């Protein structure tokens, strides 16, 4: 069983809301990256999204754009990202890990080659902002290696499109809570609640919500109607300027722990 | 370079793109989910308008009375004599209102925007010609207009930046990445993702996701349709060869499209070879790149082995782009068109030669096409006809040229 499925079924039986932090591989400090991933798990991450740096992140706001630029300046590419995952897996065989990014680096590496390397490194899923629903080669290669191709939905997704996405969903669905780029605005929970709830009825897989979630209050507002909450830009911004294993890890824990606590308190209440 | 003739005769080049927006293996829709529905709506609206006689009549009227079409074909006789080969003919898109082919497209897209009830126009620009053409049509329709432009390009196209401001547009400097056209396109896409409900994005070339490569081509295809008819009436035959510069590829496909099924007409696109293809400092995506995905479509891109888009170089801001329209990628693979590099130095020489022999200051982008026309003319007999798209006028470039040649203005 894929680690993503396992984790969501555990969350379901424990009636907990999943917490999914996003970090850009290689930022803020490439050397401290693996310790950072472990720190996120310590602080309560249920699943980690690891951003693959790309030169032209057209769906990202300034915070993640700059994280990409810094990572690329430090020569962090797909090879280094996969190496980080391999190292992480030596000490953590449970936490699901999803690579997130853009299609071109995968295309240039070769879809089959990438899928094989990713599976061997211990990746569980792939989320590509700009890959079309009908990319048969990518779907087939991922499926053949039991890797989930995570699909995004947006407030603008039509009913037919939502139906198609739900039908082909694998692992979980990622609902983009704002009409905009990552980190731009604060998600308006009330505005999307009905759409997410309808999607959960329709989909066979859990639904995570992200893009405009910045803190515990934001996460809580979404937790009432989503299976998991993704926090990206706010975390990436918070980590900025830190360096070295202990510093980066401490910051990650300081950021994530209160959000975890808030989500757990909600369940207890 | 020898002409390629591996074209399979059964390809009907008018049949592309298919319903999915694909030109063979290229094109398509590679965008964030938020834009899927708006692009589908745009495609549906555009396809309806394309078949609407009232829309086409209004467009034809504007092209005639506002843009100043048809543009003439001018026989550059002194230049041809100097070169000593085939006759060089220039399709004078530089004579259009605002000084380039870009207005053909913006007039059309602005009409689509109005039909969709959009109140705000955004655009990206490299040389500033598309920005000016967008600001122009926005002013005419009374729409708010924001133009994204890389900081590098703002510095080298100062005149066009000022023109856009005079037309009431806001020019937004883009400081990410290489600070050129590709980064302006990223930023415009980010704006569009955020404001898609009231905003119309006028893409300035045949790139981006479907339907843009098709729609921008259709609006510029008037160039080739006109030219083909002009050749038949004025010269009694089709040209032997066509050439145009290729940045994103809109002026090139505009000229080429009406001739694609005329298999005897040789078609050559001139990409920016910058300091030379071997130096790595160039923007020749077709001549030196590989298939990949950029800005919403599959096409040839310039990138490294990790898939990171590489920085490009060209003396001309409008050609300084690491991708290219997907239809050109398709034409290259099909062997219907050839794509070759023209260096900064060759373009500069052609610029000066055209200025002194014919009294025409070409845009630096167009100077690449002129350089290629000169090369083709040298290879061909005296009675052969080479039709070159003079996509724009050079007023915007006089500062760049002076600077390059060490002249203080
Ligand atoms: C005069 C002129 N020619 C050519 C181009 C290149 O664009 P395209 O390849 O889309 O024609 C530009 C772009 O700014 C331009 O201003």
């Amino acid at each position: 069983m894929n680690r993503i499925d396992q984790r969501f079924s555990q969350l379901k039986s424990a009636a907990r809301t999943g917490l999914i932090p996003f970090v850009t591989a290689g930022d803020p400090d490439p050397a401290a990256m693996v310790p950072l991933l472990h720190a996120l798990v310590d602080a309560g991450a249920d699943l980690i999204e690891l951003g693959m740096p790309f030169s032209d992140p057209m769906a990202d706001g300034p915070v993640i754009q700059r994280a990409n630029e810094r990572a690329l300046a430090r020569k962090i590419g797909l090879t280094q990202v996969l190496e980080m995952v391999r190292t992480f897996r030596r000490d953590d065989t449970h936490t699901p890990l999803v690579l997130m990014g853009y299609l071109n680096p995968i295309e240039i590496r070769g879809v089959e080659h990438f899928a094989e390397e990713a599976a061997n490194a211990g990746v569980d899923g792939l989320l590509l902002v700009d890959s079309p629903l009908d990319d048969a080669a990518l779907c087939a290669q991922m499926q053949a290696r039991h890797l989930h191709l995570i699909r995004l939905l947006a407030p603008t997704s039509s009913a037919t499109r939502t139906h198609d996405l739900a039908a082909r969903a694998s692992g979980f669905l990622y609902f983009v809570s704002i009409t905009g780029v990552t980190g731009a605005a604060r998600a308006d929970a009330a505005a999307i609640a009905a759409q997410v709830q309808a999607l959960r009825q329709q989909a066979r897989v859990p639904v995570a919500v992200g893009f405009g979630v910045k803190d515990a209050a934001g996460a809580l507002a979404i937790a009432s109607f989503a299976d998991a909450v993704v926090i990206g830009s706010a975390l990436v911004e918070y980590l900025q300027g830190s360096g070295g294993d202990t510093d980066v890890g401490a910051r990650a824990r300081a950021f994530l722990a209160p959000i975890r606590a808030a989500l757990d308190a909600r369940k207890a209440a | 370079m020898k002409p390629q003739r591996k074209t399979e005769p059964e390809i009907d080049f008018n049949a592309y793109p298919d319903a999915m927006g694909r030109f063979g293996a290229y094109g398509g829709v590679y965008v964030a989910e938020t834009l899927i529905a708006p692009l589908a709506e745009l495609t549906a609206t555009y396809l309806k308008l394309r078949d609407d006689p009232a829309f086409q009549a209004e467009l034809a009227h504007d092209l005639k009375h506002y843009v100043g079409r048809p543009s003439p074909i001018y026989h550059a006789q002194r230049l041809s004599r100097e070169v000593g080969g085939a006759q060089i003919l220039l399709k004078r898109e530089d004579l259009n209102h605002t000084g380039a082919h870009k207005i053909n497209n913006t007039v059309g897209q602005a009409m689509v925007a109005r039909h969709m009830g959009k109140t705000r126009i955004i655009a990206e620009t490299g040389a500033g010609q598309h920005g000016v053409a967008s600001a122009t049509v926005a002013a005419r329709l009374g729409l708010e207009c924001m133009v994204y432009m890389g900081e590098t390009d703002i510095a080298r196209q100062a005149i066009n930046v000022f023109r856009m401001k005079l037309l009431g547009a806001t020019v937004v400097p883009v400081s990410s990445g290489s600070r050129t056209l590709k980064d302006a396109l990223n930023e415009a896409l980010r704006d569009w993702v955020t404001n898609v409900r009231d905003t119309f994005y006028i893409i300035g070339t045949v790139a981006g996701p479907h339907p843009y490569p098709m729609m921008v081509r259709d609006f510029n295809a008037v160039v080739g349709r006109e030219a083909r008819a002009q050749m038949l009436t004025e010269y009694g035959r089709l040209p032997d060869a066509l050439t145009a510069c290729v940045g994103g590829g809109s002026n090139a496909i505009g000229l080429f499209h009406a001739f694609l099924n005329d298999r005897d007409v040789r078609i050559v696109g001139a990409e920016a070879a910058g300091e030379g293809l071997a130096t790595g400092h160039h923007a020749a995506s077709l001549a030196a790149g590989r298939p990949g995905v950029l800005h919403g479509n599959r096409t040839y891109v310039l990138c490294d082995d990790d898939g990171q888009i590489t920085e490009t170089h060209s003396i001309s801001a409008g050609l300084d782009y690491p991708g290219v329209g997907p239809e050109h990628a398709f034409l290259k693979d099909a062997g219907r068109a050839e794509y070759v590099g023209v260096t900064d130095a060759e373009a500069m020489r052609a610029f000066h030669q055209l200025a002194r022999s014919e009294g025409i200051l070409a845009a630096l982008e167009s100077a690449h096409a002129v350089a290629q026309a000169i090369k083709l003319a040298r290879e061909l007999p005296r009675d052969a006809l080479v039709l070159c798209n003079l996509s724009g006028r050079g007023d915007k470039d006089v500062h760049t040229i002076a600077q390059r040649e060490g002249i203080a203005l």
Side-chain angles (χ1 to χ4, degrees), chain B residues 257-273:
Chain B
H257 197 257
F259 295 91
L260 289 177
N261 284 337
D262 297 318
R263 296 300 202 280
D264 292 334
V265 178
R266 186 176 165 195
I267 297 179
V268 185
E271 292 190 294

Side-chain angles (χ1 to χ4, degrees), chain B residues 100-102 127 129 205 245-251 318-319 363 365-366 391-392:
Chain B
H101 68 289
K102 298 286 182 187
Q129 284 303 125
T205 190
C245 64
V246 180
S250 66
N251 88 88
L319 303 184
E365 291 80 14
S366 320
S391 56

Side-chain angles (χ1 to χ4, degrees), chain A residues 53-61 65 69 72 76-80 103-109 129-132 134-135 152-158 161-162 165 176 178-181 184, chain B residues 20 22 29-38 175-177 182-183 185-187 189-197 290-296 298 301 303-310:
Chain A
F54 183 50
S55 53
D56 293 78
M58 62 181 182
D60 283 299
Q65 280 174 51
E69 285 177 11
L72 289 172
I76 303 303
L78 203 40
T79 305
Q80 290 70 31
L103 185 53
N104 198 55
I106 310 280
E107 285 275 320
I108 296 301
R109 201 166 190 93
V129 174
D130 56 352
S131 122
D134 58 2
D135 191 333
L152 293 145
L153 271 103
T156 55
S157 301
S158 68
R161 175 85 180 169
T162 303
L165 284 160
V176 173
I178 51 169
T179 306
V181 292
Chain B
M20 309 295 290
R22 294 198 170 270
V29 181
Y30 296 79
V31 295
E33 176 63 22
T34 308
L35 293 179
I36 294 287
S175 61
S176 56
K182 91 169 166 77
D183 311 287
L185 227 150
N186 286 332
E187 213 47 44
L189 280 167
R190 291 180 187 121
D191 180 315
W192 201 37
V193 149
T194 309
N195 302 299
V196 66
R197 288 189 170 96
R290 48 180 148 185
V293 172
L294 178 66
H295 292 148
R298 179 185 298 279
V301 300
C303 69
D304 64 19
D305 290 339
D306 191 45
Q308 309 300 337
I309 304 302
T310 42

Side-chain angles (χ1 to χ4, degrees), chain B residues 226-245:
Chain B
E226 252 176 44
R228 197 172 180 283
Q230 287 166 324
M231 288 303 301
L232 292 175
T233 46
E234 293 167 26
Y235 295 84
R237 67 182 185 93
L238 296 181
D240 298 280
L242 301 176
T243 190
C245 64

